[in-house]
Amino acid sequence: HLNVVQNDADQILAERLFKKFNADCLCGSPTVIIAFAERLQDADIRKKVCCLELAQERCTPQQMQFLKDAFPEATIMSTYALSEVATTLGEPCAESLKVSPYNYHLDSSVTLYEFIDPITLQPSDPSKNACELVVTSLESEQPFPLVRYQTGDLIAVESEDCPCGRG
């Protein structure tokens, strides 16, 4: 894995490290990985990348297409996290990636999830309507856990189990 950086000096260093350590996966925000790809001098690196791990921001359809074109051999996945709870809330599996890089399995081992209507703020069924995600951290590096934190994120939950077997 190589975490991608933003300035020209770091770009040159990142390319050298990529080659030196024989890396094949890039991790970072879509914006930063795109900037890295646009300035990439070595076309062999593009062909070698087999995995892009996107984080920190949602990738637009245009950005996603650029990444697919720039790294044609790469599987693209995106993690869902909140810095406020200091943990990853959701990650895709191989089966869900076949559908979309934005289908996540929510990890309920360290976070309690609630789904509310974004207008009424009443509990709602995310398999029927888009709901706002509310989280309570059960375990965190932070000295004070967040309790019923309204994320502002609208989500929908698939009513069927994932083909991988997880709910």
Side-chain angles (χ1 to χ4, degrees):
H1 285 79
L2 177 66
N3 288 313
V4 181
V5 289
Q6 295 186 31
N7 62 49
D8 288 335
D10 287 343
Q11 173 85 18
I12 293 166
L13 177 61
E15 285 189 48
R16 286 184 188 153
L17 290 172
F18 200 93
K19 290 177 189 175
K20 179 178 180 178
F21 293 106
N22 205 23
D24 60 2
C25 183
L26 293 172
C27 306
S29 71
T31 303
V32 172
I33 292 176
I34 287 170
F36 178 78
E38 289 174 338
R39 296 184 298 203
L40 192 58
Q41 299 299 313
D42 189 339
D44 289 339
I45 290 177
R46 286 179 186 243
K47 294 177 198 166
K48 187 173 184 227
V49 173
C50 66
C51 176
L52 296 177
E53 290 185 21
L54 308 178
Q56 303 161 344
E57 64 189 31
R58 181 145 173 131
C59 189
T60 67
Q62 296 83 6
Q63 289 173 316
M64 183 63 71
Q65 190 57 55
F66 178 90
L67 292 170
K68 287 178 180 179
D69 294 342
F71 301 102
E73 302 302 317
T75 297
I76 301 173
M77 67 177 143
S78 177
T79 58
Y80 176 58
L82 294 172
S83 57
E84 295 89 346
V85 294
T87 188
T88 298
L89 300 178
E91 295 183 315
C93 69
E95 292 298 319
S96 66
L97 282 174
K98 293 176 184 174
V99 179
S100 166
Y102 300 111
N103 284 355
Y104 304 108
H105 288 291
L106 296 178
D107 180 3
S108 57
S109 66
V110 294
T111 307
L112 175 67
Y113 300 100
E114 297 176 73
F115 309 98
I116 62 172
D117 182 286
I119 297 170
T120 67
L121 306 182
Q122 296 300 308
S124 189
D125 183 350
S127 67
K128 295 181 180 168
N129 306 300
C131 296
E132 182 176 351
L133 180 64
V134 176
V135 298
T136 296
S137 60
L138 303 175
E139 179 178 273
S140 177
E141 298 293 320
Q142 298 175 345
F144 302 101
L146 290 176
V147 178
R148 301 205 73 229
Y149 176 73
Q150 289 183 243
T151 64
D153 294 342
L154 294 180
I155 67 164
V157 175
E158 294 288 327
S159 57
E160 296 135 23
D161 285 344
C162 180
C164 77
R166 291 170 62 189

